Amino acid sequence: MALTDPLGDMLTRIRNGQQAGKNTIGCPASKLRMNVLEVLKKEGYIRGYELQEDGNKRNISIELKYYEGEPVIKAIDRVSKPGRRVYSAIADLGKVRGGMGISILSTPRGVMSDIEARNANVGGEVLCRVF
């Protein structure tokens, strides 16, 4: 069965893994997923990720992050979905939970957090929000 929303699948795996208290989770690899994981790592929401190749299959092993036994990611929600794409100019993009969280955008300059997008003064597709 083909996935219609691979990024949404990865976000759900992260949510489920943290709810179950797992240290690492796995998911199939793609460039978009790796770019989103790079932003999450840079912003301190995950410990890291590693690309694993097994013959023809490429998987990503994601190391989840906890602070005093609680998951660092309180909420991670998909905004732009395959059935309804959400685009935003940087001036129209609001702060997530009063600046405590981030939005991850796909811009013409690559996948970046809303903070980086504001500094670069570039808008794009709002992929997800993390708090």
Side-chain angles (χ1 to χ4, degrees), residues 1-114:
M1 184 171 118
L3 286 174
T4 56
D5 188 13
L7 183 59
D9 175 60
M10 182 184 76
L11 299 179
T12 301
R13 287 175 190 238
I14 290 173
R15 241 187 329 267
N16 291 344
Q18 285 191 324
Q19 193 172 20
K22 303 254 184 192
N23 288 326
T24 60
I25 58 165
C27 71
S30 74
K31 286 182 182 179
L32 178 63
R33 287 177 175 177
M34 291 185 58
N35 290 336
V36 170
L37 288 172
E38 185 61 38
V39 172
L40 289 174
K41 180 181 174 186
K42 201 181 306 179
E43 295 292 330
Y45 287 102
I46 61 171
R47 286 192 186 280
Y49 65 94
E50 183 181 339
L51 180 64
Q52 299 171 336
E53 296 191 35
D54 182 29
N56 249 0
K57 295 184 180 182
R58 294 175 19 161
N59 289 319
I60 304 172
S61 176
I62 305 166
E63 216 177 323
L64 302 176
K65 190 174 183 179
Y66 297 90
Y67 178 73
E68 293 180 357
E70 293 293 315
V72 172
I73 299 174
K74 302 292 185 222
I76 186 165
D77 301 314
R78 185 83 156 103
V79 176
S80 186
K81 299 175 182 174
R84 181 174 178 265
R85 299 291 183 188
V86 177
Y87 297 93
S88 177
I90 202 61
D92 300 334
L93 188 65
K95 296 207 182 258
V96 178
R97 304 256 177 136
M100 296 297 291
I102 63 166
S103 292
I104 299 177
L105 285 83
S106 176
T107 68
R109 296 187 188 169
V111 176
M112 58 180 70
S113 69
D114 59 344

